[in-house]
């Protein structure tokens, strides 16, 4: 099989979606007070950083932002496989705060379930909200995003690939489709 791809979002559209999400988070929570953004490794971390920067510009105050590794909490890693561990950085206590988990793509919901398990090891947030750049559907768990950059209905033979400059050298979202040659 070979891949065909189609760009869904370019860098400008990603930036616009993130600024909109930042506004929506601030509006729903009556400002930045009591918020903590937690980016999920790998691409959720730079997305959370961009959201925190935008929210800081809008509100005139810094929004705490951290990074969350979910490797040990995943239930979809086959037997014996060891997850690649990355640093978890909690900027301040999450106890009693509103934590916004940030990820690139929402698919089955299993990564988000793992993130909630990891987060609860650091305290009990008052509320956990979810922001994703792309929601592609096909949920296996009853999880939904509070903030979505773009809904992209997909088939099971398609994959959504988010590329961010901080990791991949460029910003874009691409829909990949496996085709038989």
């Amino acid at each position: 099989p070979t891949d065909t791809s189609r760009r869904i979002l370019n860098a400008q559209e990603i930036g616009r979606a993130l600024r909109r999400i930042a506004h929506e988070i601030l509006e729903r929570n009556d400002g930045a007070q009591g918020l903590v953004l937690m980016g999920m490794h790998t691409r959720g971390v730079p997305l959370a950083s961009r959201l925190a920067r935008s929210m800081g510009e809008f509100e005139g105050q810094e929004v705490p932002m951290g990074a969350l590794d979910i490797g040990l909490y995943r239930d979809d890693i086959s037997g014996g496989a060891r997850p690649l561990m990355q640093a978890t950085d909690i900027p301040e206590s999450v106890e009693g705060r509103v934590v916004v988990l940030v990820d690139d793509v929402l698919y089955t919901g299993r990564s988000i379930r793992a993130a909630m398990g990891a987060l609860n090891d650091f305290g009990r947030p008052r509320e956990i909200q979810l922001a994703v750049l792309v929601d592609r559907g096909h949920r296996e768990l009853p999880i939904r995003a509070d903030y979505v950059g773009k809904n992209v209905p997909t088939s099971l033979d398609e994959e959504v690939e988010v590329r961010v400059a901080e990791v991949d050298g460029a910003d874009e979202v691409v829909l990949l489709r496996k085709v038989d040659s």
Side-chain angles (χ1 to χ4, degrees):
T2 58
D3 289 342
T4 62
S5 66
R6 177 173 59 92
R7 182 184 291 152
I8 299 169
L9 295 172
N10 62 31
Q12 183 179 11
E13 292 164 327
I14 290 171
R16 192 170 28 251
L18 291 174
R19 285 188 301 278
R20 179 177 43 76
I21 290 170
H23 279 292
E24 289 175 2
I25 292 169
L26 292 169
E27 185 174 308
R28 176 172 171 180
N29 294 286
D30 296 323
Q33 196 65 36
L35 287 178
V36 177
L37 298 180
M38 291 300 299
M40 294 168 54
H41 281 295
T42 294
R43 287 163 185 82
V45 174
L47 294 175
S49 178
R50 294 180 196 185
L51 286 171
R53 191 169 39 253
S54 288
M55 293 166 68
E57 290 170 8
F58 302 151
E59 289 290 293
Q61 72 180 77
E62 189 175 322
V63 177
M65 179 255 152
L68 190 62
D69 179 68
I70 63 167
L72 294 177
Y73 297 84
R74 296 191 65 102
D75 66 358
D76 57 353
I77 294 181
S78 55
R82 294 187 56 186
L84 172 67
M85 299 304 295
Q86 299 185 60
T88 289
D89 171 36
I90 307 290
E92 53 191 68
S93 173
V94 298
E95 194 74 33
R97 311 277 305 260
V98 174
V99 175
V100 181
L101 287 173
V102 181
D103 202 8
D104 56 351
V105 178
L106 179 56
Y107 180 35
T108 63
R110 295 195 175 277
S111 294
I112 305 308
R113 186 214 50 82
M116 290 188 294
L119 189 60
N120 281 319
D121 279 353
F122 294 97
R124 184 174 177 191
R126 180 169 57 83
E127 182 179 350
I128 298 174
Q129 298 174 2
L130 176 60
V132 297
L133 183 59
V134 176
D135 183 346
R136 65 166 289 191
H138 303 287
R139 221 71 80 238
E140 294 175 5
L141 299 173
I143 290 174
R144 66 164 178 75
D146 299 284
Y147 314 99
V148 177
K150 185 167 183 74
N151 284 293
V152 180
T154 62
S155 66
L156 292 174
D157 64 345
E158 293 174 316
E159 188 174 321
V160 174
E161 192 172 288
V162 172
R163 300 173 185 150
V164 293
E166 297 89 336
V167 176
D168 308 295
D171 283 346
E172 66 179 352
V173 178
V174 177
L175 182 66
L176 301 170
R177 182 183 195 102
K178 300 261 187 234
V179 293
D180 294 323
S181 48

